[in-house]
């Protein structure tokens, strides 16, 4: 299904709660060993886990609110709260990435002794826990909040692998600056994911057309339906990553009541099955653009919200 159901929202909440428990456990271990080993890579990863722990709590809150039914105050429901929580999480990750870069430069200028054995132990534990979290979240990664967490912890698993390798390098070569190098690489991984997810959130808040949907393909598919002569004033936007809405004016032939209902049903099925658009508002017209404000004799000004005027079919 394209549209996120209430049941899948509850399932996503459950997966997030399991992840919160696992993150809390590994966070406590990493913070202790970061102090004991004096490892910047472990310390930076611990800071990252703190933000992940907070982000998971925010994600859980966003998913919980998103399950509320639409009402007279929020006629499109509460899905945007889930997007808002994902946006907050990723903006915080951008900040923490920049902080890690700052600490890496400071550590490079002022080197300290790093104890590698503790790094290896904690990194190995981190790989196990983060892998469990990734497997836990994978099946619900279609939700923006869960997807964000999934990408974070997949990156964490790779970061722990890097810390593990760094500890091995320090043991055999004594080159402690590899710790600083690894923390910088970790920051790059976090920053890349954070920017990508932030862009997706902003894309939804700006009510842009979802990136995987083509207006031209949508128009062609509707025009291919028997009885449709033209499509105009199309508006498509995402309420959340999973819920897409559409409004359009459809120019049709003269139809009786039963034919009109059948045609509407065909259009709705086409929008859902081909493009995942479950919420549609279709306005039938018997001539091109007949109901548009700018089409009236005394209103000739072009409407800034129309992407076309008089399509033909």
């Amino acid at each position: 299904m394209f549209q996120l159901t209430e049941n899948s929202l509850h399932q996503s909440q459950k997966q997030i709660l399991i992840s919160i428990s696992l993150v809390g456990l590994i966070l406590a271990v990493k913070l202790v060993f970061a102090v004991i080993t004096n490892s910047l890579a472990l310390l930076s990863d611990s800071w990252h886990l703190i933000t992940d722990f907070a982000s998971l709590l925010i994600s859980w809150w966003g998913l919980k609110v998103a399950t509320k039914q639409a009402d007279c105050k929020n006629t499109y429901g509460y899905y945007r709260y889930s997007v808002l929580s994902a946006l907050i999480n990723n903006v915080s990750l951008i900040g923490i990435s920049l902080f890690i870069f700052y600490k890496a430069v400071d550590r490079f200028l002022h080197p300290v002794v790093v104890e590698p054995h503790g790094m290896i132990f904690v990194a190995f534990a981190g790989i196990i826990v983060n892998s469990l979290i990734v497997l836990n979240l994978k099946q619900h990664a279609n939700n923006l909040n869960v997807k964000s967490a999934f990408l974070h912890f997949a990156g964490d698993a790779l970061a722990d692998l890097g810390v593990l390798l760094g500890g091995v390098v320090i043991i055999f070569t004594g080159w402690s600056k590899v710790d600083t190098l690894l923390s910088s690489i970790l920051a790059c991984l976090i920053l890349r994911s954070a920017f990508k997810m932030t862009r997706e959130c902003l894309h939804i808040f700006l009510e842009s057309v979802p990136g995987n949907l083509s207006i031209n393909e949508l128009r062609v598919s509707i025009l291919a339906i028997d009885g449709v002569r033209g499509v105009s004033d199309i508006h498509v936007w995402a309420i959340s990553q999973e819920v897409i809405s559409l409004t359009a004016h459809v120019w049709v032939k003269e139809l009786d009541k039963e034919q009109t209902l059948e045609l509407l049903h065909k259009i709705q099925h086409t929008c859902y099955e081909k493009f995942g658009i479950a919420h549609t508002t279709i306005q039938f017209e018997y001539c091109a653009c007949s109901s548009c404000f700018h089409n009236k004799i005394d209103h000739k000004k072009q409407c800034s919200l129309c992407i076309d005027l008089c399509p033909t079919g």
Side-chain angles (χ1 to χ4, degrees), residues 224-240:
I225 300 173
D226 185 41
V228 176
R229 302 179 63 187
V231 185
S232 64
D233 202 16
I234 297 177
H235 296 277
V236 180
W237 69 101
I239 298 173
S240 69

Side-chain angles (χ1 to χ4, degrees), residues 190-247:
I190 299 169
L191 199 60
R192 180 178 179 275
S193 297
F195 270 122
K196 181 180 179 181
M197 298 298 295
T198 298
R199 186 170 63 247
E200 287 188 42
C201 293
L202 291 176
H203 197 77
I204 293 174
F205 275 114
L206 292 174
E207 298 190 340
S208 303
V209 177
N212 61 343
L213 193 151
S214 167
I215 291 292
N216 289 333
E217 290 180 11
L218 175 62
R219 186 195 304 277
V220 169
S221 295
I222 296 177
L223 285 172
I225 300 173
D226 185 41
V228 176
R229 302 179 63 187
V231 185
S232 64
D233 202 16
I234 297 177
H235 296 277
V236 180
W237 69 101
I239 298 173
S240 69
Q241 190 181 42
E242 306 83 6
V243 184
I244 305 173
S245 288
L246 170 144
T247 63

Side-chain angles (χ1 to χ4, degrees), residues 171-186:
I171 288 176
F172 286 98
T173 68
W175 187 44
S176 61
K177 286 186 178 180
V178 68
D179 181 62
T180 303
L181 176 63
L182 289 171
S183 65
S184 299
I185 295 174
L186 171 61

Side-chain angles (χ1 to χ4, degrees), residues 12-116:
S12 294
Q13 287 183 62
K14 182 179 178 180
Q15 304 309 115
I16 291 291
L17 282 174
I18 294 173
S19 300
I20 287 173
S21 301
L22 292 172
V23 171
L25 175 64
I26 193 63
L27 172 60
V29 174
K30 283 194 175 185
L31 278 175
V32 171
F33 275 86
V35 174
I36 294 174
T37 63
N38 208 21
S39 167
L40 177 60
L42 277 179
L43 182 61
S44 61
D45 199 32
S46 297
W47 277 104
H48 178 209
L49 280 176
I50 290 174
T51 62
D52 274 347
F53 188 75
S55 71
L56 285 172
L57 290 174
I58 295 172
S59 294
W60 177 82
W61 170 80
L63 288 168
K64 184 176 178 61
V65 175
T67 59
K68 295 176 64 176
Q69 292 294 315
D71 51 37
C72 293
K73 182 179 179 181
N74 293 275
T75 57
Y76 276 109
Y78 291 80
Y79 291 104
R80 285 285 173 89
Y81 282 86
S82 177
V83 182
L84 177 62
S85 62
L87 178 62
I88 292 171
N89 290 336
N90 286 287
V91 169
S92 69
L93 277 177
I94 291 173
I96 202 64
S97 299
L98 296 176
F99 175 75
I100 293 172
F101 273 124
Y102 164 76
K103 294 296 293 182
V105 171
D106 181 65
R107 178 64 64 89
F108 182 80
L109 296 174
H110 306 91
V112 297
V113 177
V114 178
E115 201 287 302

Side-chain angles (χ1 to χ4, degrees), residues 244-306:
I244 305 173
S245 288
L246 170 144
T247 63
H249 293 188
V250 178
W251 177 18
V252 298
K253 302 173 183 178
E254 293 286 341
L255 303 171
D256 59 31
K257 182 178 179 180
E258 288 186 2
Q259 291 173 322
T260 300
L261 291 174
E262 183 180 354
L263 179 58
L264 177 61
H265 188 69
K266 288 180 179 179
I267 293 173
Q268 290 174 330
H269 264 275
T270 296
C271 290
Y272 182 74
E273 293 171 359
K274 288 189 175 182
F275 304 96
I277 304 173
H279 187 91
T280 59
T281 303
I282 306 297
Q283 181 169 314
F284 286 143
E285 301 172 349
Y286 290 113
C287 63
C289 229
S290 63
S291 64
C292 292
F293 178 85
H294 61 257
N295 196 49
K296 303 301 182 288
I297 297 177
D298 57 338
H299 300 141
K300 290 298 182 181
K301 185 177 180 181
Q302 167 68 42
C303 173
S304 62
L305 295 180
C306 291

